[in-house]
Amino acid sequence: MPTLSSSVIDPLWHQFQALIPARVDTHPLGCHRRRVPDRIVFTKLIDRLVLGGAYTKHADHRVSATTLRTRRDEWITAGVFATLEQIVLEAFDKIIGLNLEDLSVDGCCVKAPCGGENTGPNPTDRGKSGQKRSVLIEGNGIPIGVVLAGANRHDSRLLEPTLECLDRLPFSRMPESICVHLDAGYDSKKTRDLLGRLGCQDRISPKGEFIKINHTRRWMVERMNSWHTRGFRLLQVVLDRGTAAQEAFVQLANAIIVLKRLLKEAWSTHRWESRPVKGYHWR
């Protein structure tokens, strides 16, 4: 059973395939083993993202774990994962539109038992190795960018690099007024000075005061953290040790989330030739 429905993985693959650079065979004799098709490797990487586990658990008679890691590194070097996320985000902005007047930022700590880069002792998990994802979303819950760091890094220290993810959008797209919604962990003069320097308004939950999350706009970023950890097992338990591989799978997950939202939002307003006959089912 496929980990993603065909209405999601097929358009994702068509765009991904278009980004893969042409490969020139330089073998002098041309007698090496036949190259594993890119579609098989792509599907295996999707499976690993959704189901988690080591590469050896997803290898089979068609593709080895070594080939999965090698092809992954080739695509990372070519910038395929980052470009795919950017294209899907721009497509959503063009068809549906991003709400950049209201932004939310929050951090999420997950397990990283293998250690590696962007990991550190998690103060909420008895000092075990963990990773923190600082997530930036727009007003309707679409992820704009993610910054990775060790679990021991404070959320407020990651705020500025997280907001810098807005640089991926054209400057002309920025609204005149931007309001950033944050939880009590960001309630400090340093945070307010930073937002003031950036020309942003702030809506920060005060420390020591309980405010129901559904009375704020922060519930969307909490939902995004849930989508990351519940929908993608590899983002709940990080197994890759290198920054490049960690970021690649986060970018792939964001591309899937945005594409699903795009299909859902466009279902009642747009028509396309490959549209499923029985309708699109969100899952």
Side-chain angles (χ1 to χ4, degrees):
M1 181 178 179
T3 53
L4 292 177
S5 64
S6 60
S7 59
V8 175
I9 195 171
D10 286 347
L12 195 70
W13 162 247
H14 289 319
Q15 183 59 69
F16 192 93
Q17 183 183 31
L19 298 175
I20 298 176
R23 182 174 180 273
V24 180
D25 191 352
T26 58
H27 195 284
L29 302 178
C31 59
H32 51 67
R33 295 176 60 184
R34 181 174 298 178
R35 184 176 173 88
V36 178
D38 290 331
R39 178 61 189 265
I40 295 178
V41 178
F42 175 77
T43 303
K44 290 293 184 180
L45 293 181
I46 292 288
D47 292 344
R48 182 171 185 264
L49 173 63
V50 175
L51 302 177
Y55 289 96
T56 54
K57 297 296 184 181
H58 296 278
D60 55 21
H61 66 282
R62 298 177 299 172
V63 57
S64 66
T66 301
T67 299
L68 290 176
R69 288 188 288 264
T70 301
R71 201 74 57 88
R72 175 207 66 188
D73 293 340
E74 290 180 5
W75 293 342
I76 290 175
T77 303
V80 177
F81 294 97
T83 306
L84 177 68
E85 182 190 21
Q86 181 71 20
I87 289 176
V88 175
L89 187 63
E90 291 178 355
F92 187 94
D93 187 24
K94 181 178 180 180
I95 298 174
I96 306 299
L98 295 173
N99 177 14
L100 299 177
E101 295 181 356
D102 290 286
L103 305 175
S104 297
V105 179
D106 195 17
C108 174
C109 289
V110 295
K111 295 179 181 295
C114 298
E117 300 173 346
N118 299 315
T119 63
N122 189 345
T124 64
D125 191 20
R126 296 173 292 174
K128 294 182 179 180
S129 178
Q131 183 178 89
K132 175 170 289 186
R133 288 192 301 268
S134 182
V135 184
L136 170 66
I137 67 165
E138 50 88 68
N140 294 320
I142 298 299
I144 303 298
V146 177
V147 173
L148 304 179
N152 55 330
R153 292 286 301 276
H154 196 274
D155 290 349
S156 61
R157 294 183 178 274
L158 300 176
L159 179 59
E160 184 171 5
T162 304
L163 291 176
E164 290 176 354
C165 293
L166 288 172
D167 294 341
R168 68 190 309 172
L169 301 175
F171 180 76
S172 59
R173 184 69 181 83
M174 294 296 105
E176 296 182 359
S177 176
I178 297 178
C179 183
V180 182
H181 301 262
L182 305 167
D183 63 15
Y186 298 88
D187 187 12
S188 66
K189 183 178 182 298
K190 182 178 179 180
T191 297
R192 290 184 170 84
D193 292 342
L194 170 63
L195 295 178
R197 176 165 54 85
L198 297 176
C200 300
Q201 302 177 13
D202 63 83
R203 293 289 186 275
I204 305 177
S205 300
K207 293 181 179 179
E209 182 177 344
F210 175 73
I211 299 178
K212 292 184 177 180
I213 193 171
N214 58 348
H215 291 176
T216 69
R217 301 186 66 95
R218 291 192 303 103
W219 68 269
M220 293 186 182
V221 70
E222 299 291 351
R223 179 184 64 179
M224 179 55 57
N225 288 332
S226 178
W227 284 352
H228 276 155
T229 56
R230 298 297 181 181
F232 307 99
R233 177 68 178 173
L234 191 60
L235 301 189
Q236 184 179 9
V237 181
V238 179
L239 301 178
D240 293 288
R241 293 176 53 85
T243 299
Q246 294 169 1
E247 291 179 345
F249 281 108
V250 172
Q251 292 161 353
L252 184 57
N254 286 342
I256 293 172
I257 290 173
V258 177
L259 179 58
K260 284 185 174 182
R261 285 293 302 274
L262 176 58
L263 292 173
K264 183 179 180 181
E265 297 290 338
W267 181 257
S268 59
T269 58
H270 293 74
R271 297 290 185 269
W272 56 93
E273 294 180 358
S274 59
R275 173 174 163 151
V277 177
K278 296 183 180 180
Y280 174 74
H281 300 282
W282 172 267
R283 63 174 187 173

